[in-house]
Amino acid sequence: MLGILDNLVQTVNSVGNTCVTVFSSFITLNYYVGDILFNCLKTVYLTCISTICTLFVVIRIMLEDLLVFFQEISETLTNCIFFFFQCFDLFLEVVSNICAAVGTSIGSVVECITSCFSFLYNVVAHCLQYFGDFFSLIGKSLILLVNLVPSTVYLIYAGSIRLFHCSKQITAQLLAKVHQNITTTSPELLLGIVVGTLATVMITRYTIKTIRERSITWRSVLRALLWLVCTAYIFIFRSIARCVTLSLTVMEMTVSNLRVPMFAHAGDSDDEGEDREHLVGAVEDSDDEENERQATKRRNYEMLRKRASKKQGLRRGSEDSIEDQLLREVEREREDKLCCICQDQEKCIMMLPCRHLCICAGCQQQMRTHRNTCPMCRKQVKQMIKAYL
């Protein structure tokens, strides 16, 4: 019985250890996959942030140069407008002077004409000067734009170099972390990773060949992969749940059908000269609750035997199931609990000082009247106590 129980416990422990190993391997694989995905996303994120910062710097410089260009253009336009209003004021002044000169004196016509020519000369000179300033400003703006292009190229080059250095540092850190993980892992894990990688490469090559031969689209491949992953996850969790349910069911059946005798220890008396007539007293009768419990156990045992006999008739010729083995263990244990004299009632009387639990309450009176020796070891009995199993 103990061998079968040990085998059953070892089987349950091995199933539990296998489930724990599979679950831990699954969690470890998910951890490494999540770590790799997180590092990839982190690298992409840092690359995007660096690129965006570089673009922001370039756009800021271009906007500053454009703002300077617009300020210079606005200053030029303001000067032109101011020059136009100045010309208009001068023209009004010339007209007023001409009118005043015509009204005052004919002799001043020559002077006015001279002043008009001089004024026109000045106007033309100022116009040429302002137009020269305007075109020179346009030329300077064009030169500034031409100079801005190399600056922009240089900034783009510097941003690319910085991005390359950042990517290099991140890649070096990632490779160092991977190298540390590889050096700290066990050889079995490395061998498993190598075998898994080779298997993945072979499966990938075979998959690419199949896709090229059958003209499979990426959409159908992604849909199939998603379905396979979901099915695998559901199957793994269902298998774990079924293993746990089976283990709990086996443990529940074992605990419910197997009973371990529990009894209290009584003190021994080493005085051999004591009066056995006073020590071997009458054991009190069982109460109604104890009798009802015994009847319930007997009834449950009979029902279990009937059920087992029915199942054995339906399943005749097949291998024994776990329930049949447990039933045989229960029958064997019940036979061990029977009285060694009548072989009918359960033993409930303990002999002292040898502490053998071997007779029932019915045979206890006969033992007291005929002989006070233990039927198991033939030692003298000094006291009898009732034990509850």
Side-chain angles (χ1 to χ4, degrees):
M1 174 181 177
L2 293 177
I4 294 175
L5 288 178
D6 290 335
N7 292 329
L8 182 61
V9 170
Q10 290 177 3
T11 304
V12 172
N13 290 331
S14 63
V15 171
N17 291 328
T18 304
C19 295
V20 170
T21 304
V22 172
F23 187 75
S24 62
S25 300
F26 179 70
I27 293 299
T28 304
L29 180 61
N30 286 336
Y31 170 76
Y32 281 112
V33 172
D35 192 9
I36 292 171
L37 291 176
F38 175 76
N39 290 326
C40 293
L41 292 176
K42 183 178 179 181
T43 304
V44 173
Y45 173 76
L46 292 175
T47 303
C48 293
I49 290 298
S50 177
T51 305
I52 291 172
C53 292
T54 305
L55 289 177
F56 280 160
V57 171
V58 172
I59 291 171
R60 183 173 62 82
I61 293 173
M62 292 179 67
L63 289 176
E64 289 179 356
D65 294 335
L66 186 63
L67 182 61
V68 171
F69 175 74
F70 283 153
Q71 288 178 355
E72 292 179 355
I73 293 294
S74 62
E75 290 178 358
T76 304
L77 291 176
T78 304
N79 292 327
C80 291
I81 293 171
F82 177 76
F83 173 71
F84 176 75
F85 281 109
Q86 188 177 4
C87 291
F88 184 72
D89 293 335
L90 290 174
F91 179 74
L92 292 177
E93 185 179 357
V94 168
V95 172
S96 63
N97 289 327
I98 290 173
C99 293
V102 171
T104 55
S105 145
I106 299 172
S108 61
V109 174
V110 177
E111 185 180 357
C112 288
I113 292 171
T114 307
S115 63
C116 286
F117 279 112
S118 63
F119 175 73
L120 290 174
Y121 174 77
N122 292 327
V123 168
V124 171
H126 284 88
C127 288
L128 292 174
Q129 183 180 359
Y130 283 125
F131 278 112
D133 294 336
F134 176 73
F135 287 113
S136 65
L137 180 61
I138 292 175
K140 290 180 180 179
S141 300
L142 293 174
I143 292 172
L144 181 63
L145 289 175
V146 171
N147 293 326
L148 183 62
V149 172
S151 301
T152 306
V153 173
Y154 174 74
L155 290 174
I156 293 173
Y157 173 74
S160 302
I161 294 298
R162 185 179 178 184
L163 177 63
F164 175 74
H165 285 299
C166 292
S167 302
K168 184 179 179 180
Q169 292 178 359
I170 293 171
T171 305
Q173 293 176 0
L174 182 61
L175 291 176
K177 188 174 181 181
V178 171
H179 181 265
Q180 183 179 2
N181 292 329
I182 291 173
T183 53
T184 54
T185 52
S186 60
E188 292 82 3
L189 181 59
L190 293 176
L191 181 60
I193 291 172
V194 172
V195 173
T197 305
L198 292 177
T200 305
V201 171
M202 293 178 65
I203 291 171
T204 304
R205 292 181 63 183
Y206 178 74
T207 304
I208 292 173
K209 183 178 179 181
T210 306
I211 289 172
R212 290 177 178 176
E213 290 178 354
R214 300 185 180 181
S215 300
I216 300 175
T217 60
W218 286 105
R219 189 173 183 179
S220 60
V221 171
L222 292 176
R223 187 182 301 172
L225 287 176
L226 181 61
W227 180 81
L228 287 175
V229 170
C230 294
T231 305
Y233 271 84
I234 292 171
F235 178 74
I236 289 171
F237 284 114
R238 283 183 178 177
S239 301
I240 293 172
R242 287 178 182 176
C243 291
V244 172
T245 305
L246 181 60
S247 301
L248 293 177
T249 304
V250 172
M251 293 174 64
E252 182 180 1
M253 291 177 64
T254 305
V255 172
S256 62
N257 292 325
L258 298 179
R259 297 289 185 268
V260 180
M262 301 293 293
F263 49 85
H265 295 281
D268 298 336
S269 177
D270 297 333
D271 190 2
E272 296 294 337
E274 291 183 355
D275 189 4
R276 288 187 288 106
E277 296 295 332
H278 296 287
L279 289 176
V280 182
V283 179
E284 59 180 5
D285 296 334
S286 301
D287 53 1
D288 294 336
E289 185 178 356
E290 179 66 20
N291 294 330
E292 185 178 356
R293 188 176 67 84
Q294 294 290 340
T296 303
K297 289 175 65 176
R298 187 179 293 274
R299 229 179 5 257
N300 292 335
Y301 176 71
E302 294 296 334
M303 291 175 63
L304 187 61
R305 288 190 60 184
K306 290 180 180 179
R307 181 180 175 187
S309 62
K310 289 181 181 179
K311 286 188 176 181
Q312 188 174 5
L314 294 175
R315 197 173 54 250
R316 185 167 298 171
S318 60
E319 295 181 357
D320 293 340
S321 62
I322 297 177
E323 188 174 358
D324 295 335
Q325 295 179 4
L326 292 175
L327 179 60
R328 286 198 296 271
E329 292 295 330
V330 171
E331 290 179 355
R332 189 179 297 111
E333 185 180 359
R334 185 177 180 278
E335 291 176 359
D336 293 337
K337 290 182 180 180
L338 294 179
C339 177
C340 66
I341 296 176
C342 64
Q343 293 291 323
D344 185 24
Q345 300 295 327
E346 291 186 1
K347 47 191 176 184
C348 60
I349 303 299
M350 180 184 291
M351 306 293 180
L352 293 177
C354 63
R355 292 180 181 175
H356 282 137
L357 183 67
C358 54
I359 63 174
C360 62
C363 299
Q364 182 258 345
Q365 188 65 29
Q366 299 178 5
M367 287 286 298
R368 292 179 64 252
T369 55
H370 289 82
R371 60 181 182 277
N372 285 323
T373 58
C374 177
M376 301 297 293
C377 62
R378 304 301 179 184
K379 289 184 179 181
Q380 291 295 326
V381 177
K382 295 181 180 181
Q383 188 178 0
M384 298 183 184
I385 62 174
K386 187 169 185 180
Y388 294 94
L389 297 178

